[in-house]
Amino acid sequence: MAPDKYRARYLTMRASGESDDSLSPIAPVQFESPVGQLLAQILRTHPHLLPAAIDQQLENLQSDKDDQKKETTPSQDLLYKRIAEVKEKERQRTLEEIIYCLIAQKFVDNEISMIPKIMATSDPTGRVDFWPNQEQKLESVHSPEAFEMIQSHLSLVLGDRVVGPLSTIVEISKIKLGKLYAASVMYGYFLRRVDQRFQLERTMKTLPEDFNKDQARFEDPNPGKQLWDPDSLIRVPPDDDNNGDGGGYMDTLEGKSYRLRSYVMYLDSETLQRYATIRSKEAISLIEKQTQALFGRPDIQILDDGSLDTSNDEVVSITFDGLTMLVLEAVAFGSFLWDAESYVESKYHFLKS
């Protein structure tokens, strides 16, 4: 009976979003590799030791990779090739879980509880979002300029949510929720990347002259402004305030006002596309795993005529406040993904040039 009691308690904690107990999961993705499980345990019990433990595991990965390169086996040896492929897949899985652990640590360091798996509840309305409101904490992980753009992203993906109370309940399919979450992760990844460049140029006083004037090229609203396909729900709205007031950065030495949104619109399309591209297959895999851990694997079938059948898709009830928290967490996850990927690359080279 003991295991059943523990399982019932575990599911209740997952559904309610509580995370005070040391046995409760910090993040929805479950680690599979021995290294990932070890790091997850350290994060739960001795989080201050996690950075050193991650550095050690990255050193181990590099040593394993170097040792494999030194092995002299004829390239025609199919068995050797197969063994090498298996080892490479194991390293990739371990690397993914190291990156994910760094992301989870960022949430822990900022005292943000990650949203647990979305599942059916006993609530009469069918509402699934019983996690706490953490908007202020999620705002604090971004620069003021970046959060201004995040607010525009919220307005775009949630529509006129300010018209009614945030407690208003809406029904939405899990597939659409998953697409919204994944797209917002990608937006957060892109935003952190471009914001780092913006902050660096701002600090170095190398921001382009009069870029607010140049960005008029992009003022005409058209599909070309979208950074990804329309289904991703992501685009960068034009800067409506050409004077740069309100939410912009004021250079007190030269009296110039700069906004990240204007800076993004100033960049050429090739640079935007490069910044909007996820750099590694590990990061792409983690976005997929995080989304599926929250919403489950989508039940989609391909019909004989080639169309997609989503009739088995589950519809859930969620408040506008819950949707806001979901999007804000996704954007933060994407931002932390960029940070974690960059840190790992500094210790263990895995990105393709």
Side-chain angles (χ1 to χ4, degrees), residues 61-82:
L61 279 180
Q62 187 63 57
S63 298
D64 180 62
K65 192 174 183 179
D66 292 342
D67 290 342
Q68 186 174 336
K69 287 182 178 180
K70 293 177 183 178
E71 295 179 6
T72 55
T73 302
S75 58
Q76 294 81 5
D77 191 335
L78 296 179
L79 179 59
Y80 171 78
K81 282 185 177 181
R82 179 57 182 158

PDB file of all heavy atoms in Angstrom, residues 61-82:
ATOM      1  N   LEU A  61      32.449  14.721 -20.307  1.00  0.00           N
ATOM      2  CA  LEU A  61      31.980  14.583 -21.681  1.00  0.00           C
ATOM      3  C   LEU A  61      33.095  14.893 -22.676  1.00  0.00           C
ATOM      4  O   LEU A  61      33.259  14.200 -23.679  1.00  0.00           O
ATOM      5  CB  LEU A  61      30.795  15.525 -21.934  1.00  0.00           C
ATOM      6  CG  LEU A  61      29.403  15.084 -21.461  1.00  0.00           C
ATOM      7  CD1 LEU A  61      28.382  16.159 -21.810  1.00  0.00           C
ATOM      8  CD2 LEU A  61      29.001  13.753 -22.074  1.00  0.00           C
ATOM      9  N   GLN A  62      33.861  15.937 -22.388  1.00  0.00           N
ATOM     10  CA  GLN A  62      34.953  16.314 -23.289  1.00  0.00           C
ATOM     11  C   GLN A  62      36.023  15.237 -23.325  1.00  0.00           C
ATOM     12  O   GLN A  62      36.549  14.894 -24.391  1.00  0.00           O
ATOM     13  CB  GLN A  62      35.560  17.648 -22.845  1.00  0.00           C
ATOM     14  CG  GLN A  62      36.581  18.219 -23.811  1.00  0.00           C
ATOM     15  CD  GLN A  62      35.961  18.556 -25.158  1.00  0.00           C
ATOM     16  OE1 GLN A  62      35.013  19.335 -25.237  1.00  0.00           O
ATOM     17  NE2 GLN A  62      36.492  17.973 -26.232  1.00  0.00           N
ATOM     18  N   SER A  63      36.347  14.672 -22.160  1.00  0.00           N
ATOM     19  CA  SER A  63      37.348  13.599 -22.095  1.00  0.00           C
ATOM     20  C   SER A  63      36.891  12.376 -22.871  1.00  0.00           C
ATOM     21  O   SER A  63      37.666  11.755 -23.613  1.00  0.00           O
ATOM     22  CB  SER A  63      37.618  13.221 -20.632  1.00  0.00           C
ATOM     23  OG  SER A  63      38.151  14.311 -19.918  1.00  0.00           O
ATOM     24  N   ASP A  64      35.616  12.031 -22.707  1.00  0.00           N
ATOM     25  CA  ASP A  64      35.059  10.888 -23.433  1.00  0.00           C
ATOM     26  C   ASP A  64      35.104  11.118 -24.941  1.00  0.00           C
ATOM     27  O   ASP A  64      35.434  10.212 -25.715  1.00  0.00           O
ATOM     28  CB  ASP A  64      33.612  10.654 -22.967  1.00  0.00           C
ATOM     29  CG  ASP A  64      32.972   9.470 -23.680  1.00  0.00           C
ATOM     30  OD1 ASP A  64      33.464   8.344 -23.530  1.00  0.00           O
ATOM     31  OD2 ASP A  64      31.967   9.686 -24.392  1.00  0.00           O
ATOM     32  N   LYS A  65      34.794  12.337 -25.348  1.00  0.00           N
ATOM     33  CA  LYS A  65      34.824  12.678 -26.771  1.00  0.00           C
ATOM     34  C   LYS A  65      36.244  12.619 -27.320  1.00  0.00           C
ATOM     35  O   LYS A  65      36.483  12.106 -28.422  1.00  0.00           O
ATOM     36  CB  LYS A  65      34.231  14.083 -26.971  1.00  0.00           C
ATOM     37  CG  LYS A  65      33.936  14.443 -28.413  1.00  0.00           C
ATOM     38  CD  LYS A  65      33.221  15.793 -28.472  1.00  0.00           C
ATOM     39  CE  LYS A  65      32.840  16.147 -29.895  1.00  0.00           C
ATOM     40  NZ  LYS A  65      32.109  17.452 -29.958  1.00  0.00           N
ATOM     41  N   ASP A  66      37.201  13.140 -26.548  1.00  0.00           N
ATOM     42  CA  ASP A  66      38.604  13.126 -26.983  1.00  0.00           C
ATOM     43  C   ASP A  66      39.147  11.704 -27.071  1.00  0.00           C
ATOM     44  O   ASP A  66      39.881  11.366 -28.009  1.00  0.00           O
ATOM     45  CB  ASP A  66      39.461  13.946 -26.017  1.00  0.00           C
ATOM     46  CG  ASP A  66      39.134  15.428 -26.077  1.00  0.00           C
ATOM     47  OD1 ASP A  66      38.527  15.862 -27.071  1.00  0.00           O
ATOM     48  OD2 ASP A  66      39.466  16.152 -25.113  1.00  0.00           O
ATOM     49  N   ASP A  67      38.769  10.870 -26.098  1.00  0.00           N
ATOM     50  CA  ASP A  67      39.239   9.482 -26.100  1.00  0.00           C
ATOM     51  C   ASP A  67      38.718   8.731 -27.315  1.00  0.00           C
ATOM     52  O   ASP A  67      39.432   7.909 -27.907  1.00  0.00           O
ATOM     53  CB  ASP A  67      38.790   8.765 -24.822  1.00  0.00           C
ATOM     54  CG  ASP A  67      39.517   9.283 -23.580  1.00  0.00           C
ATOM     55  OD1 ASP A  67      40.573   9.930 -23.751  1.00  0.00           O
ATOM     56  OD2 ASP A  67      39.028   9.059 -22.459  1.00  0.00           O
ATOM     57  N   GLN A  68      37.481   9.005 -27.681  1.00  0.00           N
ATOM     58  CA  GLN A  68      36.895   8.325 -28.837  1.00  0.00           C
ATOM     59  C   GLN A  68      37.618   8.721 -30.128  1.00  0.00           C
ATOM     60  O   GLN A  68      37.810   7.896 -31.016  1.00  0.00           O
ATOM     61  CB  GLN A  68      35.407   8.652 -28.942  1.00  0.00           C
ATOM     62  CG  GLN A  68      34.690   7.871 -30.029  1.00  0.00           C
ATOM     63  CD  GLN A  68      33.191   8.104 -30.020  1.00  0.00           C
ATOM     64  OE1 GLN A  68      32.621   8.471 -29.009  1.00  0.00           O
ATOM     65  NE2 GLN A  68      32.557   7.891 -31.161  1.00  0.00           N
ATOM     66  N   LYS A  69      38.049   9.976 -30.219  1.00  0.00           N
ATOM     67  CA  LYS A  69      38.762  10.437 -31.409  1.00  0.00           C
ATOM     68  C   LYS A  69      40.130   9.785 -31.536  1.00  0.00           C
ATOM     69  O   LYS A  69      40.640   9.595 -32.643  1.00  0.00           O
ATOM     70  CB  LYS A  69      38.918  11.959 -31.367  1.00  0.00           C
ATOM     71  CG  LYS A  69      37.626  12.727 -31.629  1.00  0.00           C
ATOM     72  CD  LYS A  69      37.886  14.220 -31.616  1.00  0.00           C
ATOM     73  CE  LYS A  69      36.609  15.001 -31.916  1.00  0.00           C
ATOM     74  NZ  LYS A  69      36.856  16.467 -31.897  1.00  0.00           N
ATOM     75  N   LYS A  70      40.730   9.453 -30.385  1.00  0.00           N
ATOM     76  CA  LYS A  70      42.073   8.866 -30.396  1.00  0.00           C
ATOM     77  C   LYS A  70      42.067   7.403 -30.814  1.00  0.00           C
ATOM     78  O   LYS A  70      43.103   6.858 -31.203  1.00  0.00           O
ATOM     79  CB  LYS A  70      42.701   8.994 -28.999  1.00  0.00           C
ATOM     80  CG  LYS A  70      43.010  10.436 -28.589  1.00  0.00           C
ATOM     81  CD  LYS A  70      43.555  10.489 -27.178  1.00  0.00           C
ATOM     82  CE  LYS A  70      43.791  11.935 -26.733  1.00  0.00           C
ATOM     83  NZ  LYS A  70      44.282  12.004 -25.334  1.00  0.00           N
ATOM     84  N   GLU A  71      40.915   6.768 -30.686  1.00  0.00           N
ATOM     85  CA  GLU A  71      40.836   5.350 -31.049  1.00  0.00           C
ATOM     86  C   GLU A  71      41.070   5.186 -32.548  1.00  0.00           C
ATOM     87  O   GLU A  71      40.445   5.843 -33.365  1.00  0.00           O
ATOM     88  CB  GLU A  71      39.470   4.775 -30.667  1.00  0.00           C
ATOM     89  CG  GLU A  71      39.219   4.767 -29.164  1.00  0.00           C
ATOM     90  CD  GLU A  71      37.853   4.216 -28.817  1.00  0.00           C
ATOM     91  OE1 GLU A  71      37.173   3.738 -29.756  1.00  0.00           O
ATOM     92  OE2 GLU A  71      37.463   4.273 -27.641  1.00  0.00           O
ATOM     93  N   THR A  72      41.973   4.300 -32.882  1.00  0.00           N
ATOM     94  CA  THR A  72      42.314   4.066 -34.291  1.00  0.00           C
ATOM     95  C   THR A  72      41.678   2.761 -34.762  1.00  0.00           C
ATOM     96  O   THR A  72      42.188   1.673 -34.530  1.00  0.00           O
ATOM     97  CB  THR A  72      43.843   3.987 -34.464  1.00  0.00           C
ATOM     98  OG1 THR A  72      44.350   2.987 -33.579  1.00  0.00           O
ATOM     99  CG2 THR A  72      44.491   5.315 -34.148  1.00  0.00           C
ATOM    100  N   THR A  73      40.540   2.905 -35.407  1.00  0.00           N
ATOM    101  CA  THR A  73      39.840   1.746 -35.955  1.00  0.00           C
ATOM    102  C   THR A  73      39.497   2.047 -37.404  1.00  0.00           C
ATOM    103  O   THR A  73      39.091   3.160 -37.716  1.00  0.00           O
ATOM    104  CB  THR A  73      38.547   1.467 -35.157  1.00  0.00           C
ATOM    105  OG1 THR A  73      38.894   1.256 -33.781  1.00  0.00           O
ATOM    106  CG2 THR A  73      37.839   0.238 -35.699  1.00  0.00           C
ATOM    107  N   PRO A  74      39.696   1.094 -38.302  1.00  0.00           N
ATOM    108  CA  PRO A  74      39.402   1.331 -39.720  1.00  0.00           C
ATOM    109  C   PRO A  74      37.986   1.867 -39.907  1.00  0.00           C
ATOM    110  O   PRO A  74      37.032   1.406 -39.265  1.00  0.00           O
ATOM    111  CB  PRO A  74      39.551  -0.056 -40.359  1.00  0.00           C
ATOM    112  CG  PRO A  74      40.479  -0.778 -39.443  1.00  0.00           C
ATOM    113  CD  PRO A  74      40.200  -0.272 -38.064  1.00  0.00           C
ATOM    114  N   SER A  75      37.851   2.855 -40.781  1.00  0.00           N
ATOM    115  CA  SER A  75      36.551   3.476 -41.005  1.00  0.00           C
ATOM    116  C   SER A  75      35.537   2.491 -41.586  1.00  0.00           C
ATOM    117  O   SER A  75      34.349   2.723 -41.543  1.00  0.00           O
ATOM    118  CB  SER A  75      36.699   4.683 -41.941  1.00  0.00           C
ATOM    119  OG  SER A  75      37.278   4.281 -43.166  1.00  0.00           O
ATOM    120  N   GLN A  76      36.054   1.358 -42.153  1.00  0.00           N
ATOM    121  CA  GLN A  76      35.152   0.381 -42.742  1.00  0.00           C
ATOM    122  C   GLN A  76      34.484  -0.507 -41.684  1.00  0.00           C
ATOM    123  O   GLN A  76      33.587  -1.279 -41.997  1.00  0.00           O
ATOM    124  CB  GLN A  76      35.902  -0.524 -43.727  1.00  0.00           C
ATOM    125  CG  GLN A  76      36.431   0.196 -44.980  1.00  0.00           C
ATOM    126  CD  GLN A  76      37.744   0.917 -44.720  1.00  0.00           C
ATOM    127  OE1 GLN A  76      38.295   0.807 -43.625  1.00  0.00           O
ATOM    128  NE2 GLN A  76      38.224   1.650 -45.717  1.00  0.00           N
ATOM    129  N   ASP A  77      34.960  -0.420 -40.459  1.00  0.00           N
ATOM    130  CA  ASP A  77      34.435  -1.269 -39.390  1.00  0.00           C
ATOM    131  C   ASP A  77      33.027  -0.801 -39.020  1.00  0.00           C
ATOM    132  O   ASP A  77      32.849   0.207 -38.329  1.00  0.00           O
ATOM    133  CB  ASP A  77      35.357  -1.196 -38.165  1.00  0.00           C
ATOM    134  CG  ASP A  77      34.997  -2.257 -37.138  1.00  0.00           C
ATOM    135  OD1 ASP A  77      33.825  -2.687 -37.124  1.00  0.00           O
ATOM    136  OD2 ASP A  77      35.881  -2.637 -36.357  1.00  0.00           O
ATOM    137  N   LEU A  78      31.998  -1.522 -39.467  1.00  0.00           N
ATOM    138  CA  LEU A  78      30.618  -1.131 -39.215  1.00  0.00           C
ATOM    139  C   LEU A  78      30.264  -1.193 -37.742  1.00  0.00           C
ATOM    140  O   LEU A  78      29.484  -0.370 -37.244  1.00  0.00           O
ATOM    141  CB  LEU A  78      29.670  -2.031 -40.023  1.00  0.00           C
ATOM    142  CG  LEU A  78      29.787  -1.915 -41.546  1.00  0.00           C
ATOM    143  CD1 LEU A  78      28.809  -2.864 -42.220  1.00  0.00           C
ATOM    144  CD2 LEU A  78      29.527  -0.479 -41.995  1.00  0.00           C
ATOM    145  N   LEU A  79      30.842  -2.171 -37.014  1.00  0.00           N
ATOM    146  CA  LEU A  79      30.563  -2.297 -35.587  1.00  0.00           C
ATOM    147  C   LEU A  79      31.084  -1.077 -34.838  1.00  0.00           C
ATOM    148  O   LEU A  79      30.396  -0.533 -33.954  1.00  0.00           O
ATOM    149  CB  LEU A  79      31.203  -3.574 -35.029  1.00  0.00           C
ATOM    150  CG  LEU A  79      31.008  -3.804 -33.522  1.00  0.00           C
ATOM    151  CD1 LEU A  79      29.523  -3.878 -33.174  1.00  0.00           C
ATOM    152  CD2 LEU A  79      31.745  -5.076 -33.089  1.00  0.00           C
ATOM    153  N   TYR A  80      32.286  -0.639 -35.212  1.00  0.00           N
ATOM    154  CA  TYR A  80      32.861   0.539 -34.567  1.00  0.00           C
ATOM    155  C   TYR A  80      31.987   1.764 -34.839  1.00  0.00           C
ATOM    156  O   TYR A  80      31.739   2.585 -33.947  1.00  0.00           O
ATOM    157  CB  TYR A  80      34.280   0.787 -35.076  1.00  0.00           C
ATOM    158  CG  TYR A  80      34.849   2.112 -34.617  1.00  0.00           C
ATOM    159  CD1 TYR A  80      35.337   2.281 -33.327  1.00  0.00           C
ATOM    160  CD2 TYR A  80      34.882   3.207 -35.485  1.00  0.00           C
ATOM    161  CE1 TYR A  80      35.843   3.498 -32.898  1.00  0.00           C
ATOM    162  CE2 TYR A  80      35.375   4.434 -35.074  1.00  0.00           C
ATOM    163  CZ  TYR A  80      35.865   4.567 -33.781  1.00  0.00           C
ATOM    164  OH  TYR A  80      36.362   5.766 -33.369  1.00  0.00           O
ATOM    165  N   LYS A  81      31.514   1.896 -36.084  1.00  0.00           N
ATOM    166  CA  LYS A  81      30.652   3.025 -36.420  1.00  0.00           C
ATOM    167  C   LYS A  81      29.378   3.023 -35.576  1.00  0.00           C
ATOM    168  O   LYS A  81      28.934   4.057 -35.082  1.00  0.00           O
ATOM    169  CB  LYS A  81      30.278   2.968 -37.902  1.00  0.00           C
ATOM    170  CG  LYS A  81      31.373   3.449 -38.853  1.00  0.00           C
ATOM    171  CD  LYS A  81      30.835   3.463 -40.283  1.00  0.00           C
ATOM    172  CE  LYS A  81      31.875   4.017 -41.243  1.00  0.00           C
ATOM    173  NZ  LYS A  81      31.380   4.078 -42.648  1.00  0.00           N
ATOM    174  N   ARG A  82      28.820   1.820 -35.406  1.00  0.00           N
ATOM    175  CA  ARG A  82      27.595   1.705 -34.633  1.00  0.00           C
ATOM    176  C   ARG A  82      27.837   2.080 -33.173  1.00  0.00           C
ATOM    177  O   ARG A  82      27.027   2.795 -32.556  1.00  0.00           O
ATOM    178  CB  ARG A  82      27.052   0.275 -34.730  1.00  0.00           C
ATOM    179  CG  ARG A  82      25.786   0.017 -33.945  1.00  0.00           C
ATOM    180  CD  ARG A  82      24.673   0.946 -34.359  1.00  0.00           C
ATOM    181  NE  ARG A  82      23.471   0.733 -33.564  1.00  0.00           N
ATOM    182  CZ  ARG A  82      22.522   1.633 -33.413  1.00  0.00           C
ATOM    183  NH1 ARG A  82      22.619   2.809 -34.003  1.00  0.00           N
ATOM    184  NH2 ARG A  82      21.460   1.369 -32.674  1.00  0.00           N
TER     185      ARG A  82
END
